[in-house]
Amino acid sequence: MALDPRNPDPGYLAFWRERHVCTLTTLRPDGTPHVVPVGVTYDPEAGLARIIASGHSRKVAHVRAASTSADGARVAVCQMAGKRWATLEGTARVRTEPELIADAERRYAERYEREPRPNPHRVLIEIMITRAMGRA
């Protein structure tokens, strides 16, 4: 079921605030999907999803490689629990600004109830959400 990503219904938003491991799907240079587990935070007011990651990871390399287009890299994040599921699709960019990374770390700690481990190579994958789907 398609939803308004900036104005999700309360059940959908509550599901995104629960502690769940998610998946991030990026595209390799050959166009095949690369799916990895990640922690995601969802900010409907800003229309963003955020993922903290090591700057040396393949997912970051895929986003950087595909971000040469004006629209950014096409990605999807998904979580599921039993019959409930939620997917956010959009365009991603890698952000390196310390204040944005600190904000993303704070949001991660709030959702996942633990501080992310220190990582001097940390970056932020910021996703501008264009579509939300799910049954929460």
Side-chain angles (χ1 to χ4, degrees):
M1 164 187 343
L3 305 162
D4 179 354
R6 288 188 169 258
N7 189 25
D9 68 61
Y12 190 81
L13 186 55
F15 185 47
W16 274 105
R17 292 192 170 138
E18 294 172 11
R19 187 173 189 243
H20 295 286
V21 173
C22 304
T23 60
L24 168 68
T25 302
T26 59
L27 297 177
R28 295 181 181 100
D30 68 2
T32 58
H34 177 255
V35 183
V36 293
V38 293
V40 177
T41 61
Y42 174 32
D43 180 357
E45 294 82 21
L48 296 174
R50 296 174 179 91
I51 300 166
I52 55 175
S54 175
H56 302 302
S57 68
R58 295 304 316 149
K59 61 186 164 281
V60 169
H62 296 155
V63 171
R64 283 186 168 137
S67 291
T68 56
S69 74
D71 294 333
R74 300 291 305 163
V75 301
V77 291
C78 182
Q79 67 180 19
M80 58 181 279
K83 293 181 180 182
R84 300 182 304 155
W85 63 276
T87 298
L88 302 171
E89 296 178 359
T91 54
R93 296 198 182 283
V94 176
R95 306 295 300 260
T96 59
E97 298 93 324
E99 66 278 5
L100 295 179
I101 294 169
D103 179 59
E105 290 171 333
R106 179 190 60 75
R107 291 170 185 272
Y108 176 96
E110 184 177 297
R111 180 174 188 202
Y112 291 97
E113 300 173 345
R114 69 178 187 85
E115 295 295 320
R117 72 177 189 280
N119 181 345
H121 305 290
R122 179 163 289 136
V123 297
L124 166 62
I125 298 175
E126 186 179 75
I127 304 165
M128 180 61 67
I129 303 165
T130 56
R131 181 181 300 164
M133 302 173 289
R135 292 192 189 281

